[in-house]
Amino acid sequence: MKPRVAVFSFTSCEGCSLAILECENELLDVINLVDFVRWREAMTETSDEIDIAFVDGSISTHEDVRKLQEIREMSKMLIALGACAHTTCITGLKNRFGMSQVKEIVYGPDGAQFDTIPARPLRAVVPVDFELPGCPIDRGEFLRCVRDLALGKKPKLPNYPVCVECKRKGNVCVFFKGMKCMGPVARAGCGALCPSFGDYCEACRGFVDNPNEESHKETLTEHGLTVQEVMNYFTLFNAYDESQI
Amino acid sequence: MTVRVIDKQGVRRLVENLQQEAKVVAPHRREGENQWAFQEVTDPDQICLEYVTTCLPPKEFAFPTRETLVRYRLGDPFAAEAVIQAEPIVLFGVHPCDIYGLQCLDIAYCDEHCDPNWVARRAQMRIVGVDCIPDEWCFCAAMGTATVDSGFDLFLNALGDGAYLVEVGTEAGEKMLAGLELREATAAEIAAVKKRLTQRIKRERQIEEDTRNLPLRFTGKAQSPVWEKHAERCYSCGTCVLVCPTCICFDVVDEVSLDLQEGTRDRVWDGCMLEDFAVVASGENFREERFQRLRHRHFRKYAYLFTKYGRPYCCGCGRCVRQCLVHIDPVAILNDLIAESKGGATRGA
Amino acid sequence: MALELCQCERESDLYVPRPTRVTRVKPQTTLETMITLQFLDGADLGHRPGQFVQVFIPAIGEAPISICSAPNPENTFDLCVRKLGDVTSAIHRLQGGEVIGIRGPFGNGFDMEALQGHDLLIVGGGIGLVPLRGVIQYVAQHREDYGEVTILYGFKTPAEQLFRDELDSWVTEGQMDLRLTVDRPHPDWSGHVGVITTLFPDLKLNPQRTKALVVGPPIMYQFVITECRLKGLADDNIILSLERRMRCGVGKCGHCQINNKYVCMDGPVFTFSEVKHMWEAI
Ligand SMILES: Cc1cc2nc3c(=O)[nH]c(=O)nc-3n(C[C@H](O)[C@H](O)[C@H](O)COP(=O)(O)OP(=O)(O)OC[C@H]3O[C@@H](n4cnc5c(N)ncnc54)[C@H](O)[C@@H]3O)c2cc1C
Ligand code: SF4
Ligand code: SF4
Ligand code: SF4
Ligand code: SF4
Ligand code: SF4
Ligand code: FES
């Protein structure tokens, strides 16, 4: 029997779940591998028996927490889809401020009545079986993930840094072009997308298992960044910090 | 064989002649400070023969960064076949260190089992060497690879103004020169090139030991503090081994089409500096610490393979330290080890 | 051609798996299953005990697995596999009749000729018994060539015991001394309790005639080797089989290296004297 798949969205731009719909050429093959039983963007039919739930967005209200717990209950496997669900991405930047301040900035003087809590990744609320990182997700990686699950394989992420993919592509390292890059500590899997297009890596996919953060902070400083700038490089996509919750 | 001279026009014609029969790749400038890469030649005027070194070594033309080894159709039974794609190719403008690197892979890939993909590509590969312009990271002179006497069909030594002394390495090389009407080199030209090579060798970075003794200098060095000292800032990013012309390691990954009709087994460049290189299915990592990986890499290059194949598996090209963001340097490591063991010997005496 | 390449025979199929039929599936425990294989063309694998093959499950991948049987006239061979990841789980899903792929045999295996005339002490910890089963079968087939054979087999709980229905025949037909132990007391177990080294004090062996063959999890080696040495065995006579990550199986990919050795080519079988100076080995 084909696995029953559902897609849910929390606080995010929903770009990651839309990225799935953009797999136009492959969508027919995907539908041969799995049954989509619930998907707000694409269909109205709903179902409560789910084999694999793909969930995008970070969790930033009490209501979100409750809904995510419900999804976890009815799903055999829960997969975080994209940086918001994985690291909170940009939505985590608000955690640096007090929540009352956030409410005021976002919703104006009447903001206090809104239900907002510090943004957190899915795994901070419920057990997560797999995380598909990236802002947005890499479509190829999503397709491989679906294929692997249909074949009974465990989806895996590379545990090496973006530099590896940069080298396999023969890119000139952007440090030689005067830029600074998070590649040496960032988790690969995107095919070194940004350096391949002349940009630098911002670690939108999070870090490798054991990043040498101290070393990289020193490297960035040696290349002329201030302490604050180094902080910004490290937190743009990876601001989530349990201790701020 | 007489030594001849090829001028700028001659080089251009040579390239054009070679392009008639083969794909020609040569160093080209890339964006960034002192960056070059081997690329297929479309316009011979874009070739840059005066260069320090390329980002990736030329081994990528016989051992691509990713290549399919096996293709299969699913079904009962499945049907698998080897995928071996080779075409005539000329590497134009290869430095001596990189020629040495290709020979290292010839030896390792043909030891006991012969890697069919490497051999097929190498069999159709011809090499035109060129002498080099060392920078502050090169140490080919110390490794004995500043010049090579085999592994090329032609070798070019710069005379200035785009002219080169041509050394012929093989019959195929002699044939490449057919119809080019080259003049003989003068004694003064030959002397000038010799002088430049000797001076160059003196200018480069040195290892404080006869390279032939390097494996000896590794004896008893497993517990040396050198490894932890140099590994402290290492990212385990693998750059040093991926850009190395003498590294041979790869991973094999499975790809299956989304319609589950066919699949491939592909090899991709891999290296022992990466954290998971020696992880087994039980989860155990046989080289868990950064220093253990750095140690293995150096033992492998200067001791294990040196002893096994009679030559260091490092050509001194300096790519590893040049591209390492924290400049972890085999020369510094070797000299630390040598100092340590010489110091030890004095104390013991 | 410009380059001095080797003159050896072209192995264009070096990386291509050979189609092989699963002729039998025999589950062992909740974690281990045994499959019997035969090449579609009926050819002989031509292996020695202790060698391994690369098992390819189409669409899934490849994994190195020890051959756990001795050569036989039917040209079949057995693999006993613990479920750990993608390939091994896919092997556990086999029902029999499927066609999977095999490359090999690879590695050196046990030198059964060199063991002739010796007493054998066979020590298997957990799944380590798997490659040793090939040795045991081989010795049973050529029983007169070998001296006394003692098998020590330890496992964590009685439920993890492998090859249950064969163990008796090793004793009766194979005339071997088989001693079992489980790590900790268990309601279903009335035999010896304790880690495998606790079987050593009762052993009587002639250190001059004995060769020990030891296979088990990494942690087991140092303890068992110490016991063997205490019994007077020379390091040359302690023989091990080691496991590392493998990709190619043919000495190219670099993954299986232990110091200067390739486990896939120089091993997986090593004498203790070969590896005792290698800090990455044990
Ligand atoms: C010579 C030899 C003989 C062997 N004989 C046997 C035998 O007889 N029976 C037997 O059962 N086993 C044997 N093994 C072990 C067997 O090869 C492994 O269990 C098998 O390779 C696992 O493959 P898999 O695809 O099932 O697991 P994988 O899916 O490859 O991996 C399983 C686990 O390994 C880890 N892992 C894998 N790849 C990575 C990675 N890239 N990064 C990080 N972690 C990773 C993960 O934790 C994963 O959950 C032998 C091994 C060797 C070397
Ligand atoms: S550009 Fe970035 S990712 Fe690429 S090699 Fe340089 S540091 Fe690494
Ligand atoms: S290069 Fe870095 S920032 Fe760009 S997609 Fe990859 S991980 Fe994200
Ligand atoms: S390139 Fe430098 S930082 Fe990266 S793995 Fe090599 S030594 Fe370590
Ligand atoms: S140094 Fe490391 S990556 Fe390079 S060939 Fe040796 S083992 Fe492989
Ligand atoms: S180890 Fe460094 S210097 Fe030596 S061959 Fe490799 S990249 Fe070049
Ligand atoms: S498994 Fe590839 S070298 Fe041993």
Side-chain angles (χ1 to χ4, degrees), chain C residues 197-238:
Chain C
T197 44
T198 59
L199 291 173
F200 274 80
D202 289 342
L203 278 186
K204 295 211 170 23
L205 29 99
N206 176 343
Q208 266 64 54
R209 287 178 49 90
T210 303
K211 297 233 182 211
L213 281 59
V214 185
V215 191
I219 176 88
M220 188 188 94
Y221 286 105
Q222 41 188 313
F223 296 106
V224 169
I225 288 164
T226 308
E227 293 295 335
C228 290
R229 289 174 122 185
L230 286 173
K231 290 277 176 201
L233 263 67
D235 293 345
D236 274 339
N237 293 333
I238 305 175

Side-chain angles (χ1 to χ4, degrees), chain A residues 133-136 138 162 165-166 181-183 186-196 199-206 237:
Chain A
C135 176
D138 181 271
V162 175
E165 291 179 330
C166 230
C181 183
M182 289 297 284
R187 187 182 296 277
C190 59
L193 189 67
C194 300
S196 304
D199 214 334
Y200 59 92
C201 169
E202 302 178 314
C204 78
R205 298 169 48 84
F237 281 96

Side-chain angles (χ1 to χ4, degrees), chain A residues 7 16-23 27 36 39 54 81 137 142:
Chain A
V7 183
C16 288
S17 45
L18 285 174
I20 302 178
L21 283 180
E22 281 164 20
C23 305
L27 220 49
F36 282 100
W39 191 346
F54 286 100
L81 194 68
I137 55 161
F142 167 77

Side-chain angles (χ1 to χ4, degrees), chain B residues 93-111:
Chain B
V94 186
H95 286 163
C97 59
D98 283 343
I99 292 174
Y100 180 93
L102 289 168
Q103 292 172 320
C104 286
L105 268 73
D106 286 341
I107 297 168
Y109 274 150
C110 295
D111 183 26

Side-chain angles (χ1 to χ4, degrees), chain A:
Chain A
M1 235 190 32
K2 290 194 270 180
R4 297 159 62 84
V5 171
V7 183
F8 301 92
S9 287
F10 288 94
T11 306
S12 70
C13 65
E14 303 192 9
C16 288
S17 45
L18 285 174
I20 302 178
L21 283 180
E22 281 164 20
C23 305
E24 286 163 31
N25 299 328
E26 298 90 359
L27 220 49
L28 272 180
D29 284 329
V30 170
I31 288 167
N32 278 326
L33 295 176
V34 296
D35 279 327
F36 282 100
V37 293
R38 188 159 166 172
W39 191 346
R40 217 172 65 200
E41 269 70 39
M43 54 207 291
T44 45
E45 184 199 342
T46 60
S47 167
D48 291 338
E49 266 174 54
I50 297 166
D51 291 312
I52 308 162
F54 286 100
V55 182
D56 82 4
S58 68
I59 299 304
S60 49
T61 65
H62 290 107
E63 176 62 10
D64 287 354
V65 171
R66 200 188 50 72
K67 276 206 312 222
L68 181 63
Q69 283 163 344
E70 224 170 80
I71 295 168
R72 176 72 268 190
E73 287 280 294
M74 59 192 182
S75 315
K76 291 201 186 109
M77 190 171 201
L78 192 150
I79 298 181
L81 194 68
C84 294
H86 169 224
T87 63
T88 72
C89 189
I90 317 267
T91 68
L93 289 174
K94 73 168 185 180
N95 297 2
R96 288 194 223 159
F97 309 97
M99 280 307 114
S100 49
Q101 202 185 340
V102 168
K103 288 178 194 177
E104 210 175 301
I105 297 169
V106 179
Y107 305 104
D110 298 331
Q113 60 190 346
F114 286 90
D115 169 21
T116 185
I117 56 172
R120 55 201 77 193
L122 306 189
R123 68 164 179 283
V125 180
V126 296
V128 172
D129 299 293
F130 186 61
E131 298 177 308
L132 265 172
C135 176
I137 55 161
D138 181 271
R139 273 190 276 156
E141 197 167 51
F142 167 77
L143 293 169
R144 284 194 298 277
C145 171
V146 171
R147 179 200 66 197
D148 286 351
L149 290 170
L151 285 168
K153 281 174 85 163
K154 211 173 136 203
K156 288 188 187 91
L157 293 179
N159 180 29
Y160 47 73
V162 175
C163 297
V164 170
E165 291 179 330
C166 230
K167 295 288 134 34
R168 287 180 186 156
K169 290 212 160 155
N171 291 340
V172 169
C173 177
V174 302
F175 275 94
F176 288 111
K177 303 182 194 170
M179 288 184 239
K180 291 95 197 163
C181 183
M182 289 297 284
V185 288
R187 187 182 296 277
C190 59
L193 189 67
C194 300
S196 304
F197 285 96
D199 214 334
Y200 59 92
C201 169
E202 302 178 314
C204 78
R205 298 169 48 84
F207 298 139
V208 290
D209 288 354
N210 289 305
N212 197 339
E213 292 188 33
E214 286 317 305
S215 181
H216 200 50
K217 284 176 184 160
E218 248 178 87
T219 301
L220 293 176
T221 316
E222 286 159 11
H223 283 82
L225 293 195
T226 63
V227 174
Q228 183 57 45
E229 286 167 332
V230 170
M231 249 297 269
N232 293 346
Y233 266 71
F234 267 84
T235 53
L236 182 57
F237 281 96
N238 298 282
Y240 177 69
D241 176 353
E242 269 173 61
S243 63
Q244 286 177 342
I245 304 293

